[in-house]
Amino acid sequence: DLSTFFLGRPLTAPLMNASGVWCNVNGQLHALAESEAGAMVTKSCTLLRRDGNPEPRYHTLSMGSINSMGLPNEGHQYYLDYAERHDYENKPLFFSVAGLTLDDNLTIVAQIQDAYTPALLELNLSCPNVPGKAQIGYDFDALDVILAEISSAYSRPFGVKLPPYFDTAHFDEVADILNRYEKVNFITCINSIGNGLMIDMDSETVLIKPKQGFGGIGGEYVLPTALANVNAFHSRCPKKSIIGCGGVSTGEHVFMHLLAGASLVQVGTALYEQGPEIFVRLKTELATIMQEKGYKTIREFQGKLKTL
Ligand code: DHB
């Protein structure tokens, strides 16, 4: 039985897309709605439509992907229109917001609030791909400011999408900041490992055009970093739910994220490569692992990672 709950909402499975993958336009959103995913999220939006960075801007790697999309999106109103038509009985919808300024973010969240949809805000604090824009997730003062401002402007609970952290002191500091904001009731970790570089041996060139080839790394490369961030925030933020993201392409990876403390698991690179049918395989693989281990429900092992 893969059914579970996320913040009181029933899910058929603890699986969804990662924002940015298969969720830019209505056709893709409808495909996710009809897939076996238990929830779904829209592409991170800005106030206005953007073309994004020049192509090529995504490249498949041997163990994952590199991307520097640059926030191509249809503008927040397009996703609000989708959110107003979404079937919330079928599955919950998350609404990802990545405004270019604090004011843009405040404008967008005010519009979401006025739309009265049950969509859950996932505030993206970790886009590494807009030239000249630092990630809020790595500026702890800016992080505190945006959480204070969104908390006072937005009347409902919301979540944050964080970049990966690599230092215990940073886990402590970010968790302390998040714990001061009660409205932050979920944390999605992780976004891509920002500004990696991969090289084509034959042509001796970079693989993507923007930012001289630098881009966010996803897929198998990032699994240990993702699991560490999920577990670090799960243990430091006991009142918040964790959404795991990073390195998931099999049922085993889903199981590991759940064990580390995730309540819901996102799929990015592998969904990009394989399409929404992947959720059928991930569910079968997760169910098989649970059966082999003698677990009947997810809550029997969720967050129960053992130490030595
Ligand atoms: C993009 C990439 C991200 O990792 C993100 O969080 C938001 C946007 C992008 O390049 O489009």
Side-chain angles (χ1 to χ4, degrees), residues 80-111:
L80 266 185
D81 291 344
Y82 175 80
E84 288 181 327
R85 287 162 183 73
H86 181 75
D87 179 6
Y88 293 88
E89 298 282 299
N90 172 39
K91 64 191 63 170
L93 177 70
F94 292 82
F95 194 106
S96 176
V97 172
L100 295 177
T101 64
L102 175 58
D103 269 4
D104 285 2
N105 281 316
L106 290 169
T107 304
I108 297 167
V109 304
Q111 301 276 339

Side-chain angles (χ1 to χ4, degrees), residues 181-231:
Y181 297 95
E182 260 184 38
K183 275 188 190 151
V184 176
N185 66 358
F186 69 92
I187 306 168
T188 305
C189 6
I190 59 172
N191 208 314
S192 58
I193 295 185
N195 294 296
L197 181 67
M198 192 42 81
I199 293 168
D200 181 81
M201 278 300 287
D202 291 331
S203 60
E204 302 177 7
T205 65
V206 302
L207 296 174
I208 56 175
K209 184 167 175 107
K211 294 180 61 170
Q212 298 180 105
F214 286 57
I217 305 298
E220 215 178 307
Y221 297 107
V222 315
L223 181 66
T225 300
L227 293 173
N229 278 261
V230 165
N231 191 65

Side-chain angles (χ1 to χ4, degrees), residues 233-301:
F233 287 102
H234 172 69
S235 53
R236 286 169 177 76
C237 304
K239 293 181 177 159
K240 305 188 194 298
S241 294
I242 310 297
I243 301 182
C245 183
V248 173
S249 63
T250 68
E252 194 165 308
H253 303 147
V254 178
F255 186 90
M256 288 180 183
H257 268 274
L258 294 169
L259 198 65
S263 307
L264 188 44
V265 178
Q266 299 184 341
V267 188
T269 297
L271 172 62
Y272 186 102
E273 302 289 342
Q274 296 169 36
E277 278 296 302
I278 193 174
F279 293 112
V280 177
R281 177 173 61 79
L282 294 176
K283 282 174 69 173
T284 307
E285 291 174 357
L286 178 59
T288 302
I289 290 165
M290 285 170 59
Q291 194 166 38
E292 285 168 359
K293 287 176 168 288
Y295 293 123
K296 290 195 182 65
T297 63
I298 285 165
R299 48 177 299 261
E300 289 166 39
F301 63 90

